[in-house]
Amino acid sequence: MKLKLAFLLATALIAAPHLSVAQEKGGVINVATIGEPPTLDPMVSTADLVGIVTQHIFETLYTFDKGWKVTPLLADSLPQISADGKTYTIKLRTGIKFHDGSDMTSDDVVASLNRWLKLASRGKQVAGFIDKIEAADPATVTISLKQPYAPLVSLLAFNNSAAIIIPSEKQDEPMKEFIGTGPYMLKERKADQYIQLARFTGYKPRSEESSGYGGARHQYLDEIRFVPVPDPNTRVEAAVSGQYDYVDSLPVESFDKVKASTASQPVLLKPFGFPVFVFNTAEGVTKNVAIRKAIRQALSMEDMMAAAFGSKDFYALDGNIYPSNFIWSTDAGVEGAYNVADPEAAATSAKAAGYKGEPIRILTSRQYEFHYKMAQVAAEYLKLAGFTVDLQVVDWATLTQRRTDKGLWDIYISHSPFLPEPALIGSLSTSSPGWWDTPARKASVDAFTSEVDPDKRVALWANVQKAMYDDVPLMKIGDFNAVAAKSTKLEGVDPAPWPYFWNASIKK
C-alpha cells in the first residue's frame, strides 16, 4: 500500500540516506537505549527495543524501502503470486552465509518460517491461512495458502515479531545461538551493561542503492554497542554531553536543550505514531466490554497527551487510528467514543456494567516517560469515576513479560509507529497480549486481510476500526512525534521508527 505523497514529502520517516561519497570505515559507536531487551529472539517479542537491536543480526525475506514499499532482502525478488492469489513462489538470493559460515538455502527458510508460524504472534496471525511451506529447490520456496491473504508479504517484511531466517539446525525453542545473516553478529552480551555487535566479514549486501531498510547495507563501523540507559533524564544529559553516539527515545521537552548542544543534535520523527492503552479482554475485570467502555468514557485523551508531550508541536488529538495523511485514515466508530472525559457518566456506566470496586491494574514503565505521565493522568480520571486503580510501574522488560500472563494485568500502556499495512497492528492478532477475539473482530479482520484489491481494502479497514471502537480491545490516545539524538560526528543515520546503524560511520 502506498502512503499519500504529501505524507512522504512532509514526514520522511525514512529519508534517503545521507551517505557521503567516501564515508570513513572503522570505529565503534555506542547507542543508548531505553533498557535491556527481554530477549534477542525477535520472533517471540513485539517489543520495539528487541527489533532495534536484532535487525542488525538477523534478516527477513523482505523489508521496507524509504517509501514504505515492500522490497526484497534475503529474497532475490518480490514473490510470484498465482492468479488465484493462493501460491507465492519466492526466489532466494544465493551465496548468502550465516554467521557460523554455513550457506543459506531453502531448507533454512522453510524451517524458519514454520518456527515463525508456531512462536511469533504475527506468525500465528498468518498460520490459519497457510496450507504448506515447501522447498521447491535449494533457492526456491513456495507458500501455499488456503485463501488469499493480502498482508502476507508485509508481515514477512516486518522486523517486529519478525520472520527471521536462521539455520535449519538452530531452531531451538527458546533460541540458544543467535546466528543470522545480518551485517553485524553478536560478539558479547553483558546483561544490563551492553550488547556488543561486530562486523560480519562474510556479509553479502544487496547491489541496489540503500533505501530505508532496503537496498545495500554497508558495514562502515567495526562494532555497535547497545547500552541500556533506563532513566530518560539520564539519556537527555548523555545526549547533551555527547556521551553516546545515538540516544533513543528522549522526552520531547528536551528538544531545545539537545538542539543547543555542541555534541549532539535532535532527531525528530514527525509524526511518529500513537500511544495506546491495551485492555486484557480475556480475564479479569476488563473482560467485560461495558467496563472497558466506561473506562474509555472517563478518560481525557487531551489531558493525557498534554501531560505526556507538553507543546502541541509534539502531539495532536486524533481518534482515527491513522492520521489524515494516510490512505487508511477513517473516522469510523470515533464519534462519541474518543476524548469523552466524563468521569461522572462513566461512574454510572460502570455501575450498570456490574463494576464492584475491583482494582484496575495498569502496567506502565518510566523508561518511556510519556507512558508514565499518561498513566498518572488516567489514574486520576478513573478515581473520579469511582474506579479503584492499581498503578504498577515496572521496567520495560518486566512489562513485556507480564503482559503475556492473562492473570497479571487489566491495562498496559504502549505505543506504535504508524505502520504501512494495518494488518501489522499487533492487537489484530488473537494471540497478541490483550487477546481480542470476538465475532466482530473475526468478520472485519478476515474480510480485510483476504481482499487483495487496494481500493476495496481501504473501505474494509473502516469496518475493522469500527469493530475496534465497538469492542474496545485498545484505546488510541492521540498522535505524537518522537525525539532522539545523534552525535554531530555520526553520519549516515536517518530518522526511522526503528533506528538502524548499517550505513552509519564516524567522521574522523
Side-chain angles (χ1 to χ4, degrees):
M1 291 292 126
K2 295 182 179 179
L3 305 184
K4 288 184 179 178
L5 180 60
F7 170 75
L8 295 176
L9 293 177
T11 65
L13 277 184
I14 302 181
H18 301 146
L19 303 183
S20 57
V21 175
Q23 282 183 265
E24 298 282 353
K25 194 164 186 176
V28 177
I29 66 166
N30 291 287
V31 178
T33 65
I34 62 100
E36 180 76 7
T39 178
L40 290 183
D41 180 354
M43 278 196 194
V44 301
S45 177
T46 58
D48 286 342
L49 178 56
V50 174
I52 289 169
V53 175
T54 60
Q55 65 186 338
H56 299 81
I57 304 170
F58 303 104
E59 294 181 314
T60 47
L61 292 172
Y62 302 98
T63 189
F64 295 101
D65 68 12
K66 65 182 180 182
W68 287 112
K69 296 177 184 175
V70 174
T71 189
L73 184 55
L74 289 176
D76 184 65
S77 56
L78 291 175
Q80 297 174 353
I81 305 174
S82 62
D84 64 3
K86 294 197 291 185
T87 302
Y88 286 60
T89 301
I90 300 172
K91 295 290 185 180
L92 305 176
R93 293 169 63 201
T94 56
I96 301 298
K97 290 192 176 294
F98 290 108
H99 297 159
D100 63 0
S102 61
D103 293 314
M104 183 193 77
T105 70
S106 56
D107 289 339
D108 302 304
V109 174
V110 171
S112 298
L113 293 183
N114 282 323
R115 184 180 190 269
W116 180 65
L117 296 177
K118 179 181 178 183
L119 299 182
S121 62
R122 300 187 194 282
K124 292 175 184 177
Q125 191 175 335
V126 176
F129 296 90
I130 300 290
D131 181 25
K132 56 187 175 181
I133 303 174
E134 297 177 300
D137 61 51
T140 308
V141 170
T142 58
I143 301 177
S144 302
L145 302 176
K146 298 174 184 176
Q147 65 184 69
Y149 185 69
L152 176 61
V153 182
S154 292
L155 284 161
L156 292 174
F158 202 29
N159 79 336
N160 181 288
S161 189
I164 58 167
I165 306 305
I166 56 179
S168 58
E169 66 275 13
K170 308 288 185 183
Q171 303 283 324
D172 297 296
E173 305 170 18
M175 186 180 287
K176 294 177 182 176
E177 297 179 71
F178 302 92
I179 296 173
T181 60
Y184 290 86
M185 54 193 293
L186 180 64
K187 182 176 180 180
E188 185 177 20
R189 180 182 187 181
K190 286 195 173 183
D192 299 315
Q193 294 186 48
Y194 60 80
I195 296 169
Q196 185 178 15
L197 308 184
R199 180 192 294 116
F200 172 42
T201 57
Y203 185 68
K204 183 179 179 181
R206 294 193 67 90
S207 60
E208 301 95 332
E209 181 181 348
S210 301
S211 175
Y213 297 95
R217 294 181 169 186
H218 300 290
Q219 303 167 283
Y220 298 113
L221 300 168
D222 295 331
E223 293 185 0
I224 306 168
R225 292 187 184 186
F226 294 93
V227 182
V229 184
D231 182 73
N233 294 321
T234 303
R235 291 200 298 277
V236 172
E237 295 306 318
V240 171
S241 68
Q243 181 179 354
Y244 296 97
D245 300 282
Y246 190 94
V247 182
D248 195 27
S249 190
L250 295 176
V252 293
E253 60 267 23
S254 69
F255 183 88
D256 289 338
K257 185 174 183 178
V258 175
K259 190 175 181 179
S261 164
T262 57
S264 300
Q265 285 296 290
V267 177
L268 182 66
L269 289 83
K270 180 181 181 179
F272 173 81
F274 58 99
V276 63
F277 284 30
V278 180
F279 284 105
N280 184 343
T281 69
E283 291 185 10
V285 64
T286 55
K287 182 178 181 180
N288 184 335
V289 65
I291 289 178
R292 298 200 297 273
K293 288 183 176 180
I295 290 172
R296 182 177 66 190
Q297 186 179 19
L299 295 177
S300 169
M301 278 51 171
E302 184 171 10
D303 284 357
M304 283 191 284
M305 293 297 284
F309 300 106
S311 168
K312 287 189 176 180
D313 290 341
F314 299 105
Y315 77 88
L317 289 176
D318 187 3
N320 299 359
I321 300 299
Y322 283 88
S324 60
N325 46 10
F326 279 80
I327 60 169
W328 303 111
S329 185
T330 173
D331 61 2
V334 175
E335 187 175 358
Y338 175 76
N339 194 36
V340 179
D342 193 342
E344 186 176 348
T348 301
S349 298
K351 185 176 180 180
Y355 178 68
K356 295 182 172 60
E358 303 95 325
I360 306 297
R361 297 162 297 173
I362 302 176
L363 272 180
T364 190
S365 171
R366 295 201 71 162
Q367 284 160 268
Y368 292 109
E369 186 72 4
F370 66 98
H371 292 187
Y372 175 67
K373 289 178 178 178
M374 288 188 299
Q376 289 180 302
V377 173
E380 295 308 311
Y381 271 91
L382 292 177
K383 290 173 187 175
L384 288 174
F387 288 100
T388 303
V389 178
D390 177 11
L391 188 61
Q392 300 181 7
V393 184
V394 298
D395 63 84
W396 186 246
T398 299
L399 185 149
T400 61
Q401 291 166 350
R402 284 193 187 177
R403 70 184 179 186
T404 63
D405 188 327
K406 297 176 182 178
L408 294 181
W409 60 279
D410 301 300
I411 297 171
Y412 80 81
I413 301 176
S414 186
H415 66 270
S416 172
F418 295 116
L419 302 169
E421 160 59 60
L424 299 174
I425 296 173
S427 292
L428 299 190
S429 171
T430 57
S431 64
S432 181
W435 305 283
W436 180 34
D437 191 5
T438 66
R441 187 218 69 86
K442 180 172 175 54
S444 61
V445 172
D446 285 0
F448 173 66
T449 57
S450 60
E451 178 57 64
V452 295
D453 182 280
D455 293 330
K456 292 179 180 177
R457 294 191 79 226
V458 170
L460 289 168
W461 167 246
N463 297 336
V464 179
Q465 181 175 290
K466 185 177 185 305
M468 295 170 82
Y469 269 93
D470 290 344
D471 285 352
V472 206
L474 55 80
M475 295 181 297
K476 179 189 174 183
I477 311 303
D479 301 340
F480 78 103
N481 307 330
V483 176
K486 67 176 179 178
S487 166
T488 55
K489 296 180 180 179
L490 189 62
E491 291 187 318
V493 177
D494 296 294
W498 305 280
Y500 54 92
F501 303 98
W502 58 83
N503 299 341
S505 64
I506 302 169
K507 285 190 285 189
K508 297 294 194 294

